[in-house]
Amino acid sequence: MEVSVANSNHIEYISASLSNYFSTANKYFRHPKYKDDYDLMLKHVSKRISDPEGGFLYFVAQEDGDPVGFVNILIGENNFGSILVVIGESREVKKALLEKAVSYFKERNATGIYGEVMEFDKESVELLRDMKMKELMISFVLDI
């Protein structure tokens, strides 16, 4: 598996993956919490990939030249990193992407990393726990 910075060849894959991910999240939350429109994702991903100075960065995992996952990161204020989303076809793919993100932040002397992960993404939750993440917030739903 190869992990590299995303380029224009990955825009459609990333956009479709995000659309599907947020659609799944909306079903999980039982209301439209996130926008999941493919065309909107395409617009934002295209802009972010074409503007490497904009702060957003995507790393894409590929096997035999085909994308199998990606991670979207950002270095924000006070040199604090953010992992915005990690999507992968397997635990191994997600692990490689998370390790690449952490390595990237370490190389840039980030002071820490913040992120969010959906509970339904059990693999990512387990991987982040293995990485000693500290849980800061718990979201909940009450059936009434």
PDB file of all heavy atoms in Angstrom, residues 33-49:
ATOM      1  N   LYS A  33     -27.831  15.968   9.817  1.00  0.00           N
ATOM      2  CA  LYS A  33     -26.854  16.770  10.566  1.00  0.00           C
ATOM      3  C   LYS A  33     -25.766  17.316   9.644  1.00  0.00           C
ATOM      4  O   LYS A  33     -25.261  18.403   9.841  1.00  0.00           O
ATOM      5  CB  LYS A  33     -26.245  15.913  11.670  1.00  0.00           C
ATOM      6  CG  LYS A  33     -25.240  16.621  12.555  1.00  0.00           C
ATOM      7  CD  LYS A  33     -24.826  15.712  13.706  1.00  0.00           C
ATOM      8  CE  LYS A  33     -23.743  16.307  14.563  1.00  0.00           C
ATOM      9  NZ  LYS A  33     -24.157  17.450  15.343  1.00  0.00           N
ATOM     10  N   TYR A  34     -25.386  16.531   8.627  1.00  0.00           N
ATOM     11  CA  TYR A  34     -24.308  16.910   7.719  1.00  0.00           C
ATOM     12  C   TYR A  34     -24.818  17.002   6.289  1.00  0.00           C
ATOM     13  O   TYR A  34     -25.686  16.239   5.889  1.00  0.00           O
ATOM     14  CB  TYR A  34     -23.177  15.866   7.762  1.00  0.00           C
ATOM     15  CG  TYR A  34     -22.550  15.734   9.106  1.00  0.00           C
ATOM     16  CD1 TYR A  34     -22.902  14.683   9.948  1.00  0.00           C
ATOM     17  CD2 TYR A  34     -21.618  16.659   9.560  1.00  0.00           C
ATOM     18  CE1 TYR A  34     -22.329  14.558  11.204  1.00  0.00           C
ATOM     19  CE2 TYR A  34     -21.040  16.541  10.810  1.00  0.00           C
ATOM     20  CZ  TYR A  34     -21.399  15.483  11.627  1.00  0.00           C
ATOM     21  OH  TYR A  34     -20.840  15.366  12.865  1.00  0.00           O
ATOM     22  N   LYS A  35     -24.239  17.905   5.527  1.00  0.00           N
ATOM     23  CA  LYS A  35     -24.542  17.960   4.100  1.00  0.00           C
ATOM     24  C   LYS A  35     -23.830  16.791   3.441  1.00  0.00           C
ATOM     25  O   LYS A  35     -22.652  16.551   3.693  1.00  0.00           O
ATOM     26  CB  LYS A  35     -24.090  19.290   3.513  1.00  0.00           C
ATOM     27  CG  LYS A  35     -24.885  20.448   4.085  1.00  0.00           C
ATOM     28  CD  LYS A  35     -24.519  21.744   3.453  1.00  0.00           C
ATOM     29  CE  LYS A  35     -25.368  22.822   4.120  1.00  0.00           C
ATOM     30  NZ  LYS A  35     -25.355  24.061   3.414  1.00  0.00           N
ATOM     31  N   ASP A  36     -24.545  16.067   2.597  1.00  0.00           N
ATOM     32  CA  ASP A  36     -23.963  14.891   1.956  1.00  0.00           C
ATOM     33  C   ASP A  36     -24.085  14.931   0.433  1.00  0.00           C
ATOM     34  O   ASP A  36     -23.923  13.925  -0.237  1.00  0.00           O
ATOM     35  CB  ASP A  36     -24.582  13.613   2.509  1.00  0.00           C
ATOM     36  CG  ASP A  36     -26.085  13.518   2.292  1.00  0.00           C
ATOM     37  OD1 ASP A  36     -26.667  14.417   1.642  1.00  0.00           O
ATOM     38  OD2 ASP A  36     -26.689  12.546   2.772  1.00  0.00           O
ATOM     39  N   ASP A  37     -24.318  16.108  -0.098  1.00  0.00           N
ATOM     40  CA  ASP A  37     -24.495  16.288  -1.537  1.00  0.00           C
ATOM     41  C   ASP A  37     -23.161  16.104  -2.273  1.00  0.00           C
ATOM     42  O   ASP A  37     -22.167  16.775  -1.966  1.00  0.00           O
ATOM     43  CB  ASP A  37     -25.061  17.689  -1.799  1.00  0.00           C
ATOM     44  CG  ASP A  37     -25.245  17.961  -3.270  1.00  0.00           C
ATOM     45  OD1 ASP A  37     -26.123  17.328  -3.872  1.00  0.00           O
ATOM     46  OD2 ASP A  37     -24.487  18.795  -3.813  1.00  0.00           O
ATOM     47  N   TYR A  38     -23.138  15.192  -3.222  1.00  0.00           N
ATOM     48  CA  TYR A  38     -21.912  14.901  -3.967  1.00  0.00           C
ATOM     49  C   TYR A  38     -21.352  16.146  -4.653  1.00  0.00           C
ATOM     50  O   TYR A  38     -20.152  16.403  -4.610  1.00  0.00           O
ATOM     51  CB  TYR A  38     -22.159  13.789  -4.998  1.00  0.00           C
ATOM     52  CG  TYR A  38     -20.983  13.591  -5.913  1.00  0.00           C
ATOM     53  CD1 TYR A  38     -19.869  12.856  -5.506  1.00  0.00           C
ATOM     54  CD2 TYR A  38     -20.968  14.155  -7.195  1.00  0.00           C
ATOM     55  CE1 TYR A  38     -18.772  12.686  -6.339  1.00  0.00           C
ATOM     56  CE2 TYR A  38     -19.874  13.983  -8.028  1.00  0.00           C
ATOM     57  CZ  TYR A  38     -18.784  13.260  -7.602  1.00  0.00           C
ATOM     58  OH  TYR A  38     -17.699  13.102  -8.418  1.00  0.00           O
ATOM     59  N   ASP A  39     -22.209  16.926  -5.311  1.00  0.00           N
ATOM     60  CA  ASP A  39     -21.726  18.106  -6.029  1.00  0.00           C
ATOM     61  C   ASP A  39     -21.073  19.116  -5.087  1.00  0.00           C
ATOM     62  O   ASP A  39     -20.077  19.748  -5.443  1.00  0.00           O
ATOM     63  CB  ASP A  39     -22.868  18.769  -6.802  1.00  0.00           C
ATOM     64  CG  ASP A  39     -23.332  17.923  -7.978  1.00  0.00           C
ATOM     65  OD1 ASP A  39     -22.505  17.151  -8.523  1.00  0.00           O
ATOM     66  OD2 ASP A  39     -24.527  18.007  -8.339  1.00  0.00           O
ATOM     67  N   LEU A  40     -21.617  19.246  -3.888  1.00  0.00           N
ATOM     68  CA  LEU A  40     -21.013  20.131  -2.890  1.00  0.00           C
ATOM     69  C   LEU A  40     -19.646  19.598  -2.456  1.00  0.00           C
ATOM     70  O   LEU A  40     -18.683  20.356  -2.337  1.00  0.00           O
ATOM     71  CB  LEU A  40     -21.939  20.280  -1.681  1.00  0.00           C
ATOM     72  CG  LEU A  40     -21.442  21.182  -0.562  1.00  0.00           C
ATOM     73  CD1 LEU A  40     -21.305  22.624  -1.044  1.00  0.00           C
ATOM     74  CD2 LEU A  40     -22.398  21.111   0.622  1.00  0.00           C
ATOM     75  N   MET A  41     -19.569  18.288  -2.223  1.00  0.00           N
ATOM     76  CA  MET A  41     -18.289  17.672  -1.854  1.00  0.00           C
ATOM     77  C   MET A  41     -17.275  17.886  -2.974  1.00  0.00           C
ATOM     78  O   MET A  41     -16.124  18.248  -2.718  1.00  0.00           O
ATOM     79  CB  MET A  41     -18.443  16.172  -1.595  1.00  0.00           C
ATOM     80  CG  MET A  41     -19.382  15.807  -0.481  1.00  0.00           C
ATOM     81  SD  MET A  41     -18.860  16.458   1.094  1.00  0.00           S
ATOM     82  CE  MET A  41     -20.438  16.548   1.911  1.00  0.00           C
ATOM     83  N   LEU A  42     -17.697  17.682  -4.211  1.00  0.00           N
ATOM     84  CA  LEU A  42     -16.822  17.851  -5.368  1.00  0.00           C
ATOM     85  C   LEU A  42     -16.269  19.269  -5.428  1.00  0.00           C
ATOM     86  O   LEU A  42     -15.069  19.479  -5.667  1.00  0.00           O
ATOM     87  CB  LEU A  42     -17.581  17.495  -6.649  1.00  0.00           C
ATOM     88  CG  LEU A  42     -16.776  17.465  -7.937  1.00  0.00           C
ATOM     89  CD1 LEU A  42     -15.761  16.333  -7.921  1.00  0.00           C
ATOM     90  CD2 LEU A  42     -17.722  17.305  -9.129  1.00  0.00           C
ATOM     91  N   LYS A  43     -17.117  20.231  -5.188  1.00  0.00           N
ATOM     92  CA  LYS A  43     -16.708  21.639  -5.208  1.00  0.00           C
ATOM     93  C   LYS A  43     -15.630  21.904  -4.155  1.00  0.00           C
ATOM     94  O   LYS A  43     -14.592  22.498  -4.446  1.00  0.00           O
ATOM     95  CB  LYS A  43     -17.929  22.526  -4.967  1.00  0.00           C
ATOM     96  CG  LYS A  43     -17.623  23.990  -4.844  1.00  0.00           C
ATOM     97  CD  LYS A  43     -18.881  24.777  -4.516  1.00  0.00           C
ATOM     98  CE  LYS A  43     -18.563  26.190  -4.103  1.00  0.00           C
ATOM     99  NZ  LYS A  43     -19.762  26.906  -3.647  1.00  0.00           N
ATOM    100  N   HIS A  44     -15.873  21.460  -2.919  1.00  0.00           N
ATOM    101  CA  HIS A  44     -14.932  21.740  -1.834  1.00  0.00           C
ATOM    102  C   HIS A  44     -13.635  20.949  -1.989  1.00  0.00           C
ATOM    103  O   HIS A  44     -12.544  21.496  -1.775  1.00  0.00           O
ATOM    104  CB  HIS A  44     -15.575  21.456  -0.477  1.00  0.00           C
ATOM    105  CG  HIS A  44     -16.599  22.466  -0.098  1.00  0.00           C
ATOM    106  ND1 HIS A  44     -16.282  23.777   0.198  1.00  0.00           N
ATOM    107  CD2 HIS A  44     -17.943  22.369   0.033  1.00  0.00           C
ATOM    108  CE1 HIS A  44     -17.387  24.445   0.493  1.00  0.00           C
ATOM    109  NE2 HIS A  44     -18.410  23.613   0.397  1.00  0.00           N
ATOM    110  N   VAL A  45     -13.737  19.688  -2.323  1.00  0.00           N
ATOM    111  CA  VAL A  45     -12.541  18.864  -2.478  1.00  0.00           C
ATOM    112  C   VAL A  45     -11.681  19.402  -3.631  1.00  0.00           C
ATOM    113  O   VAL A  45     -10.460  19.516  -3.503  1.00  0.00           O
ATOM    114  CB  VAL A  45     -12.909  17.374  -2.688  1.00  0.00           C
ATOM    115  CG1 VAL A  45     -11.674  16.551  -3.038  1.00  0.00           C
ATOM    116  CG2 VAL A  45     -13.580  16.817  -1.441  1.00  0.00           C
ATOM    117  N   SER A  46     -12.309  19.763  -4.746  1.00  0.00           N
ATOM    118  CA  SER A  46     -11.569  20.314  -5.889  1.00  0.00           C
ATOM    119  C   SER A  46     -10.801  21.563  -5.479  1.00  0.00           C
ATOM    120  O   SER A  46      -9.618  21.716  -5.807  1.00  0.00           O
ATOM    121  CB  SER A  46     -12.520  20.670  -7.034  1.00  0.00           C
ATOM    122  OG  SER A  46     -13.169  19.535  -7.516  1.00  0.00           O
ATOM    123  N   LYS A  47     -11.474  22.435  -4.761  1.00  0.00           N
ATOM    124  CA  LYS A  47     -10.841  23.683  -4.323  1.00  0.00           C
ATOM    125  C   LYS A  47      -9.688  23.401  -3.366  1.00  0.00           C
ATOM    126  O   LYS A  47      -8.610  23.984  -3.489  1.00  0.00           O
ATOM    127  CB  LYS A  47     -11.883  24.580  -3.649  1.00  0.00           C
ATOM    128  CG  LYS A  47     -11.321  25.900  -3.186  1.00  0.00           C
ATOM    129  CD  LYS A  47     -12.383  26.770  -2.559  1.00  0.00           C
ATOM    130  CE  LYS A  47     -11.762  28.049  -2.033  1.00  0.00           C
ATOM    131  NZ  LYS A  47     -12.723  28.885  -1.333  1.00  0.00           N
ATOM    132  N   ARG A  48      -9.896  22.500  -2.412  1.00  0.00           N
ATOM    133  CA  ARG A  48      -8.866  22.220  -1.414  1.00  0.00           C
ATOM    134  C   ARG A  48      -7.645  21.540  -2.036  1.00  0.00           C
ATOM    135  O   ARG A  48      -6.516  21.847  -1.673  1.00  0.00           O
ATOM    136  CB  ARG A  48      -9.439  21.359  -0.294  1.00  0.00           C
ATOM    137  CG  ARG A  48     -10.400  22.131   0.580  1.00  0.00           C
ATOM    138  CD  ARG A  48     -11.066  21.254   1.591  1.00  0.00           C
ATOM    139  NE  ARG A  48     -11.925  22.043   2.467  1.00  0.00           N
ATOM    140  CZ  ARG A  48     -12.712  21.521   3.383  1.00  0.00           C
ATOM    141  NH1 ARG A  48     -12.752  20.209   3.557  1.00  0.00           N
ATOM    142  NH2 ARG A  48     -13.457  22.296   4.133  1.00  0.00           N
ATOM    143  N   ILE A  49      -7.861  20.627  -2.962  1.00  0.00           N
ATOM    144  CA  ILE A  49      -6.729  19.939  -3.587  1.00  0.00           C
ATOM    145  C   ILE A  49      -5.958  20.883  -4.513  1.00  0.00           C
ATOM    146  O   ILE A  49      -4.731  20.818  -4.594  1.00  0.00           O
ATOM    147  CB  ILE A  49      -7.192  18.664  -4.314  1.00  0.00           C
ATOM    148  CG1 ILE A  49      -7.524  17.595  -3.265  1.00  0.00           C
ATOM    149  CG2 ILE A  49      -6.133  18.161  -5.292  1.00  0.00           C
ATOM    150  CD1 ILE A  49      -8.017  16.285  -3.812  1.00  0.00           C
TER     151      ILE A  49
END
